[in-house]
Amino acid sequence: AWGAQIDALATAFEIVAPDMAGHGQSPRLSPPVHLAAYTDTVASAMAAPARRPFKVSRLVVIVVSSQRI
């Protein structure tokens, strides 16, 4: 689902697409990192800089709604 975005961002950033907690296939990251979260992972992503602010340089939150605004 993230393929096109990852390819586009990879021209300027090192991209790591981590798995969800408990899957254990993601590499360890060297801080500080840019963290992006999409709808279902926003709560977890927002907790990361709160717990360890020195490890997160930027946080991008992407929330999509099917409701008209």
Side-chain angles (χ1 to χ4, degrees):
W2 280 89
Q5 292 86 349
I6 290 172
D7 291 343
L9 291 168
T11 61
F13 299 96
E14 177 184 357
I15 304 298
V16 177
D19 53 71
M20 294 302 290
H23 291 260
Q25 300 299 314
S26 298
R28 290 207 174 261
L29 302 176
S30 298
V33 299
H34 302 286
L35 183 59
Y38 185 74
T39 306
D40 295 341
T41 59
V42 168
S44 296
M46 291 178 73
R51 287 190 310 254
R52 294 184 177 89
F54 57 91
K55 290 191 173 192
V56 179
S57 176
R58 290 189 176 122
L59 173 62
V60 178
V61 175
I62 305 162
V63 178
V64 178
S65 174
S66 61
Q67 296 180 348
R68 257 184 119 181
I69 298 176

